[in-house]
């Protein structure tokens, strides 16, 4: 780019000396297009251009952030990254030494669609110790090849800012009460007062004067554990704003990225550990550690009853003429029963106990409670299309954790050229094979063959196994001579054959 005096001299030659564009280009030693640009320029106002932001420290981590922000689109909006969570992961997992503000500015820039909602202001309330708030949250957790939905019951304590979580499949009454019972057992006590919204698992109806009709099972549960239930006004979730915030906090900090938990028991353990670890930080207002405040508040809890409450409901049913039981959307065979027999179902949060309906209540069997699994399958074709464009992202991709271990080891190699070729190979195979099949094929090749050259053959062999027929068993030869070499001399004598 020419300096300003040179630009002005070109304009002077063109306007005052009547130089042509070609003459100016030869005289100034510049390109013809450059001479024309400044000779015919009419607007000489200094442009105010925003300088392109450079990231000398954050630069090596931009691909990582872009990958996370792209892949989170497969998750519900409530369970996506915050800038703080991204900063925490960069600092803890990739040794990022920059500032949090730089990360926040870049994340805001990359999320042009992000719109800030105006927050309503409320008066800060003082909560005595021993009072809790309860609410459900929705989260997705990782299982092989997919993300599955789970409901997480959060019980938070405004005084200490402590929180406890328990995962269930649905927000029905049995799951709701069982989750609270498990949290009570983990805490070793019961809150004196618990705030709820008007969830259907506890409240049947609300009259015009505000009185609530609760389910019998919830009332028995509250009486058994001696806590005082308080309900918010309809559409007034801010009345239990602490647990509303805690649901979002736990989802952002404990469940981003989605943990891989193959069973509900694994998720329960994971959430218990996350909640316990989260207490080792200062209270947002009191500046004391949450665990210390919780120890003070824990002394104000009610003692646990000597007998645990058994959460279930009884429901009569009848078998059909095929000796099958129909419950909700599932049909269970019960061959040990007679057709059209009446039975009594003891419905729990995770199983159904079948009892005889003859008044003796004999145990006939235990069945798993049916739940419709709501899952988000991972579109591996689209994922590997992204890896093809940016092969480096496969090394720190969150979705790579959901691949079979053999596939993850296969593509996460340090050699960039080898990584590109392997990503391209997997992408091509995904057009005709499932990710699980590719992982199984790589497992069979481990330590024996070069997977880069024979992986496709191994997949073909899995789909088209060789047929090895069993030896033909003929029934003419006597069993006593099986396995013996026959003496052929008599045949030789009949045929006149002599053997030398």
């Amino acid at each position: 780019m020419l300096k300003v005096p040179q630009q002005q001299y070109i304009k002077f030659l063109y306007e005052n000396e009547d130089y042509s564009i070609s003459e100016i280009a030869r005289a100034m030693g510049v390109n013809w297009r450059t001479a024309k640009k400044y000779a015919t320029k009419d607007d000489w106002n200094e442009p105010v251009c925003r300088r392109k932001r450079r990231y000398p420290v954050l630069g090596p981590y931009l691909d990582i952030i872009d990958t996370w922000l792209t892949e989170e689109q497969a998750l519900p909006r409530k369970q996506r990254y915050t800038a703080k969570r991204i900063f925490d992961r960069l600092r803890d997992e990739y040794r990022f030494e920059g500032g949090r503000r730089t990360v926040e500015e870049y994340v805001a820039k990359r999320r042009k669609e992000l719109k800030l909602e105006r927050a309503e202001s409320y008066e800060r309330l003082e909560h005595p110790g021993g009072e809790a708030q309860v609410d459900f949250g929705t989260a997705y957790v990782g299982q092989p090849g997919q993300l599955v939905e789970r409901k997480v019951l959060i019980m938070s304590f405004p005084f200490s800012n402590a929180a406890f979580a328990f995962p269930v499949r649905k927000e029905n009454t049995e799951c709701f009460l069982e989750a609270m019972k498990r949290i009570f057992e983990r805490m070793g006590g019961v809150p004196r007062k618990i705030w709820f919204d008007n969830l259907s698992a506890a409240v049947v109806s609300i009259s015009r004067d505000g009185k609530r009709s609760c389910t019998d099972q919830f009332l028995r549960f509250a009486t058994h554990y001696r806590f005082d239930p308080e309900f918010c006004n309809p559409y007034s979730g801010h009345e239990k704003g602490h647990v509303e915030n805690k649901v979002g906090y736990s989802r952002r900090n404990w469940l981003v990225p989605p943990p891989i938990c193959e069973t509900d028991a694994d998720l329960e353990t994971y959430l218990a550990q996350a909640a316990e670890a989260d207490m080792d930080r200062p209270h947002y207002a009191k500046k004391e550690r949450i665990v210390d405040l919780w120890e003070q508040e824990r002394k104000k809890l009610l003692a646990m009853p000597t007998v645990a409450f058994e959460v279930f409901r009884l429901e009569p049913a009848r078998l059909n003429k095929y000796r099958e039981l129909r419950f909700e959307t599932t049909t269970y065979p019960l061959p040990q029963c007679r057709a059209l027999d009446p039975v009594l179902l003891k419905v729990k949060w995770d199983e159904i106990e079948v009892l005889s309906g003859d008044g003796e209540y004999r145990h006939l069997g235990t069945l798993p409670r049916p739940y419709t699994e709501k899952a988000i399958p991972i579109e591996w074709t689209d994922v590997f299309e992204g890896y093809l464009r940016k092969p480096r992202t496969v090394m720190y991709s969150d979705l790579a954790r959901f691949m079979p271990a053999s596939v993850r080891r296969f593509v996460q190699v340090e050699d960039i050229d080898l990584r590109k070729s392997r990503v391209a190979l997997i992408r091509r195979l995904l057009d005709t094979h499932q990710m699980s099949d590719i992982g199984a094929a790589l497992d069979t090749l481990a330590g024996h063959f070069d997977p880069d050259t024979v992986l496709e053959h191994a997949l073909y062999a899995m789909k088209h196994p060789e047929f090895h027929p069993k030896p033909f068993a003929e029934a003419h030869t006597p069993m006593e001579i099986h396995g013996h070499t026959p003496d052929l001399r008599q045949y030789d004598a009949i045929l006149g054959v002599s053997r030398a």
Side-chain angles (χ1 to χ4, degrees):
M1 183 175 178
L2 299 180
K3 296 181 179 180
V4 175
Q6 293 174 303
Q7 300 174 19
Q8 293 175 336
Y9 186 58
I10 291 174
K11 185 68 175 177
F12 173 79
L13 292 177
Y14 183 75
E15 295 289 345
N16 299 326
E17 300 295 330
D18 295 328
Y19 273 51
S20 66
I21 300 298
S22 299
E23 290 173 339
I24 294 174
R26 286 194 297 271
M28 296 292 295
V30 296
N31 186 275
W32 183 88
R33 291 184 179 84
T34 304
K36 185 177 185 301
K37 173 183 176 181
Y38 295 112
T40 59
K41 182 177 180 180
D42 293 326
D43 186 4
W44 289 84
N45 290 305
E46 183 177 2
V48 180
C49 299
R50 186 174 180 179
R51 295 179 59 189
K52 186 176 180 181
R53 179 71 185 271
R54 296 183 179 182
Y55 299 93
V57 179
L58 188 63
Y61 304 91
L62 296 183
D63 283 342
I64 302 177
I65 299 175
D66 291 348
T67 301
W68 292 343
L69 294 180
T70 301
E71 293 181 349
E72 72 171 2
Q73 298 304 313
L75 297 173
R77 186 172 179 178
K78 292 182 178 180
Q79 201 175 344
R80 295 177 184 174
Y81 277 99
T82 61
K84 177 183 179 300
R85 179 59 178 154
I86 290 177
F87 169 75
D88 290 342
R89 287 197 67 193
L90 291 176
R91 180 194 59 198
D92 299 339
E93 300 178 22
Y94 298 96
R95 299 181 180 177
F96 175 64
E97 298 180 353
R100 172 177 164 182
R101 186 172 181 178
T102 306
V103 176
E104 291 175 342
E105 290 178 355
Y106 180 74
V107 170
K109 176 185 173 184
R110 296 292 290 168
R111 284 176 166 162
K112 294 181 180 180
E113 75 281 5
L114 181 65
K115 295 180 181 179
L116 299 176
E117 299 180 359
R118 181 176 299 175
E120 298 183 47
S121 59
Y122 302 100
E123 294 295 328
R124 186 179 298 278
L125 302 177
E126 290 296 331
H127 297 274
E131 291 190 3
Q133 299 177 5
V134 167
D135 198 9
F136 272 110
T138 302
Y140 281 83
V141 298
Q143 290 187 354
Q146 63 180 0
L147 298 171
V148 296
E149 182 185 83
R150 291 292 180 266
K151 301 295 183 179
V152 180
L153 186 77
I154 302 293
M155 181 177 292
S156 69
F157 291 80
F159 175 81
S160 63
N161 201 25
F164 299 85
F166 189 85
V168 291
R169 293 292 186 95
K170 296 294 180 183
E171 295 184 23
N172 56 43
T173 301
E174 290 75 35
C175 288
F176 169 59
L177 298 182
E178 185 69 27
M180 283 209 298
K181 170 187 169 183
R182 298 291 186 93
I183 292 176
F184 292 163
E185 292 172 351
R186 189 181 305 160
M187 296 187 306
V190 181
R192 296 178 178 272
K193 182 183 290 187
I194 304 179
W195 290 81
F196 306 90
D197 57 16
N198 298 284
L199 70 172
S200 59
V203 178
V204 178
S205 62
I206 306 176
S207 61
R208 291 185 178 181
D209 59 0
K211 293 183 178 180
R212 290 163 178 80
S213 298
C214 297
T215 63
D216 292 340
Q217 198 171 5
F218 176 79
L219 292 176
R220 287 198 303 270
F221 182 87
T223 304
H224 186 88
Y225 286 100
R226 299 179 297 130
F227 66 84
D228 181 18
E230 290 284 346
F231 294 93
C232 301
N233 292 315
Y235 310 108
S236 301
H238 61 272
E239 294 180 357
K240 57 178 183 59
H242 187 272
V243 73
E244 297 278 352
N245 292 330
K246 188 64 72 173
V247 167
Y249 174 86
S250 61
R251 184 188 295 116
R252 293 189 299 269
N253 291 273
W254 304 348
L255 296 166
V256 175
I260 299 177
C261 301
E262 296 190 2
T263 66
D264 291 345
D266 293 339
L267 179 59
E268 177 188 348
T269 302
Y270 173 85
L271 288 173
Q273 293 173 349
E276 183 178 357
D278 187 68
M279 291 191 190
D280 193 21
R281 63 184 178 93
H283 188 280
Y284 61 90
K286 300 177 181 178
K287 306 307 178 185
E288 297 181 54
R289 284 200 316 161
I290 294 175
V291 65
D292 297 331
L293 293 171
W294 169 243
E295 288 302 322
Q296 300 174 27
E297 187 169 22
R298 193 173 180 178
K299 300 175 182 178
K300 300 181 180 181
L301 299 180
L302 298 173
M304 291 286 290
T306 55
V307 178
F309 187 86
E310 187 177 4
V311 180
F312 66 89
R313 79 171 190 269
L314 295 176
E315 185 173 319
R318 183 179 292 274
L319 275 63
N320 62 19
K321 61 182 179 180
Y322 303 105
R323 294 183 293 178
E324 295 173 338
L325 170 66
R326 181 74 175 176
F327 181 81
E328 294 179 349
T329 59
T330 306
T331 301
Y332 298 96
L334 288 173
Q336 67 271 31
C337 301
R338 293 182 301 178
L340 305 179
D341 263 1
V343 293
L344 187 65
L345 304 182
K346 192 175 183 180
V347 183
K348 302 181 181 180
W349 74 294
D350 59 344
E351 64 182 20
I352 306 167
E353 189 175 346
V354 183
L355 307 175
S356 62
D358 55 5
E360 297 182 5
Y361 305 124
R362 291 175 289 105
H363 178 78
L364 301 178
T366 302
L367 308 172
R369 183 163 181 177
Y371 288 109
T372 302
E373 193 76 275
K374 186 175 180 180
I376 301 177
I378 298 175
E379 299 295 338
W380 289 115
T381 301
D382 297 337
V383 172
F384 272 81
E385 284 288 350
Y387 294 160
L388 281 175
R389 291 190 295 269
K390 293 184 177 181
R392 284 196 300 169
T393 60
V394 72
M395 302 299 290
Y396 37 75
S397 168
D398 284 338
L399 294 180
R401 300 179 304 123
F402 302 106
M403 300 178 193
S406 55
V407 178
R408 187 169 62 251
R409 291 192 299 267
F410 182 67
V411 296
Q412 288 185 338
V413 291
E414 294 296 332
D415 189 328
I416 185 65
D417 294 327
L418 180 60
R419 189 190 313 155
K420 288 180 180 179
S421 65
R422 290 184 171 183
V423 167
L425 173 61
I426 298 296
R427 169 60 190 89
R428 180 166 55 83
L429 293 176
L430 285 170
D431 288 334
T432 53
H433 300 84
Q434 297 294 323
M435 176 61 79
S436 56
D437 295 336
I438 297 175
L442 284 171
D443 289 334
T444 62
L445 299 176
H448 301 288
F449 303 96
D450 180 11
D452 295 87
T453 57
V454 299
L455 175 57
E456 198 163 0
H457 299 287
L459 283 167
Y460 182 86
M462 288 175 59
K463 276 195 170 183
H464 306 85
E466 294 184 11
F467 176 66
H468 297 284
K470 295 182 179 179
F472 176 72
E474 51 87 14
H476 302 292
T477 306
M479 294 298 296
E480 57 269 15
I481 66 172
H482 268 237
H484 297 281
T485 302
D487 187 358
L488 302 179
R489 287 178 295 178
Q490 295 181 3
Y491 294 96
D492 293 341
I494 293 173
L495 296 175
V497 178
S498 61
R499 295 180 181 272

